[in-house]
Amino acid sequence: MHQTQARISLNGPTDLLTTVPLLLGFHPDHSLVIVGLIDGELQCTFRVDLPGSADHLEHLQDLTAQLSLNECNGSVVIVYGEAELAQAVAERAATRLVAAGMKPIDQLRVDGGRWFSLICGNACCPTGGLPLPETSAASCEVAVAGGYAAPDRSAIAAQLAPAPAGRRAAVARAVLAALMADAELDWVAQRDLDLQAIDHWMDAKLLPEPEAIAAVGLALGDLDIRDYALRRINSGRFEGNRVDLWLWVTRHLEDDLVAPAATVAGFAAYRFGNGVLALEAFELALRASPHYRLAQMLMAALQAGIPPGALSRIGCGDREEAEVNDGPTCPADAP
C-alpha cells in the first residue's frame, strides 16, 4: 500500500482519473485506489493491489482506517482491472467506507484506456465506457506543481537502482580515504565538516562526485547529522525536498552505508507526497540493515496512512529552539 496527499478541487470523473496517476507517481494497474475527500475536495489517495480473483476478496486490504486518520468525510472508489473482479472489489470497499462514515460519491473502473461508472445507469455513462483523456484541467494543475506519472511501479523502483559499478567503486575508494583522514580530526572538527557538507549539497545545483558522495554518506551514519538533514528537508526551503540528491547518494553507497541515506531519501519523498518512492527507499534501507529503527518507524507510519504533514518534527528530538551552532530551527518552532 502507499499513499499520496494533496488538496485539489475536482470537477467530475475525468478530472479525478487523469490526476490519480500523477498523485501516485505512476500509472496503476490491477489496483484499488481510494480517494479520500474532505467536503468534496481531494485530501489523500491510497492504492493497494487487487486480489487474484473475486474468490479471494478476504485478501483485499481495508483502507478505511487510513482515510479516517486523514479526517476524510467522503470518498471515491476506483478499480483498475477487468469487470467482474472490479465490481466485487468496489462493492466490498464501498461497504466498508459506508460503515465508517465515508460513503463513496462514485465508484469507477478503468481498463484498456476507458473508464466506466459502476453505479451510474444513465446515458452519460454508457455500458461500453468512455475514452479516458490524457489530461484535464486538474491534472495540468498537478503537473505544473511537479507531479509526474511513471509508466508503472517498476519505473519508480528503478530510481533507486545501483549506480554503474565503476562509479560505486570510486565512491568505495573515497570512503576508505575519508575514514583514514577522519582519524586525524577531533569530533568537533569532523562534525563541523559534516554539517557543512549537508548544507552545501542541499543548496548545490549539481550532484556530488565520488569524494563528496563518500563524505555525505559517512556523515549520515552519525544520528545527529542524519537528523540535521531531516530538519533541513522539513524546512520546506528546498525544491522537491532535494529527493534527487538523496537518491543519488543512496545509489552510490555500499550496503554497510546505504541504510541512513536510503531512509533520508525515503523521508524526503514521503514529505513531498510520493508514497511509493518513499516505500521503495525504506525497503532498500531495511534490506541493507533490517533493524534500522528510523526506516522501520517511517515505513510503519506510511503504511498506517499518517499524513506527510504529521512528520514535521521528525529529526527534532527534544530540541525546543535552534539547531546547535545556530542552525535552522525545527519547523514547529520556526517563526
Side-chain angles (χ1 to χ4, degrees):
M1 182 208 78
H2 76 272
Q3 78 173 99
T4 56
Q5 182 176 53
R7 295 300 296 271
I8 301 163
S9 297
L10 302 167
N11 296 298
T14 55
D15 259 5
L16 178 59
L17 294 173
T18 54
T19 300
V20 162
L22 298 173
L23 298 176
L24 296 178
F26 69 102
H27 290 272
D29 182 47
H30 198 68
S31 301
L32 167 65
V33 172
I34 304 292
V35 177
L37 306 174
I38 294 181
D39 299 331
E41 288 195 346
L42 191 152
Q43 167 69 7
C44 55
T45 311
F46 292 88
R47 187 210 69 88
V48 294
D49 292 332
L50 296 184
S53 72
D55 296 327
H56 297 90
L57 291 182
E58 70 274 10
H59 299 303
L60 181 67
Q61 186 171 346
D62 185 357
L63 297 173
T64 55
Q66 286 84 348
L67 266 67
S68 294
L69 188 61
N70 283 268
E71 302 181 340
C72 298
N73 55 19
S75 61
V76 178
V77 174
I78 310 170
V79 187
Y80 294 78
E82 56 89 14
E84 180 182 358
L85 178 58
Q87 186 70 50
V89 165
E91 289 175 359
R92 186 178 182 90
T95 298
R96 291 169 168 172
L97 290 164
V98 169
M102 295 172 285
K103 181 179 179 180
I105 64 171
D106 210 343
Q107 298 176 43
L108 307 169
R109 179 172 78 91
V110 178
D111 190 28
R114 302 182 73 81
W115 70 272
F116 309 78
S117 174
L118 298 176
I119 59 175
C120 177
N122 298 326
C124 59
C125 299
T127 56
L130 293 166
L132 182 62
E134 292 185 4
T135 61
S136 67
S139 68
C140 289
E141 177 184 340
V142 176
V144 168
Y148 168 76
D152 52 36
R153 181 165 178 169
S154 64
I156 301 294
Q159 295 182 52
L160 285 155
R167 292 190 61 85
R168 287 170 63 88
V171 172
R173 291 192 296 271
V175 166
L176 291 176
L179 288 172
M180 294 178 64
D182 291 351
E184 301 177 5
L185 295 174
D186 63 25
W187 179 85
V188 174
Q190 184 59 57
R191 184 176 186 277
D192 286 345
L193 287 176
D194 290 343
L195 292 172
Q196 290 170 22
I198 298 298
D199 284 339
H200 172 77
W201 288 109
M202 288 200 75
D203 277 320
K205 302 299 182 184
L206 300 176
L207 293 170
E209 291 298 323
E211 291 77 11
I213 294 171
V216 172
L218 286 168
L220 293 176
D222 182 318
L223 297 186
D224 282 342
I225 303 300
R226 181 205 66 188
D227 288 353
Y228 178 79
L230 299 181
R231 293 194 293 280
R232 296 290 277 161
I233 291 167
N234 260 331
S235 72
R237 301 171 188 171
F238 303 96
E239 184 177 356
N241 289 342
R242 290 311 313 270
V243 174
D244 60 332
L245 168 65
W246 304 117
L247 291 177
W248 178 256
V249 171
T250 298
R251 294 177 57 229
H252 285 80
L253 297 176
E254 300 298 329
D255 283 352
D256 58 337
L257 292 178
V258 80
T263 302
V264 172
F267 178 79
Y270 192 170
R271 286 290 277 139
F272 195 60
N274 192 335
V276 68
L277 180 57
L279 183 60
E280 294 287 347
F282 298 148
E283 288 179 345
L284 173 60
L286 292 172
R287 285 196 299 272
S289 182
H291 303 294
Y292 196 69
R293 188 177 178 189
L294 182 61
Q296 293 175 330
M297 293 171 58
L298 289 171
M299 178 178 281
L302 180 63
Q303 293 175 330
I306 293 176
L311 306 179
S312 62
R313 288 194 61 82
I314 292 289
C316 288
D318 296 328
R319 292 169 176 81
E320 294 297 334
E321 279 297 331
E323 171 66 27
V324 179
N325 293 341
D326 299 322
T329 58
C330 288
D333 301 319

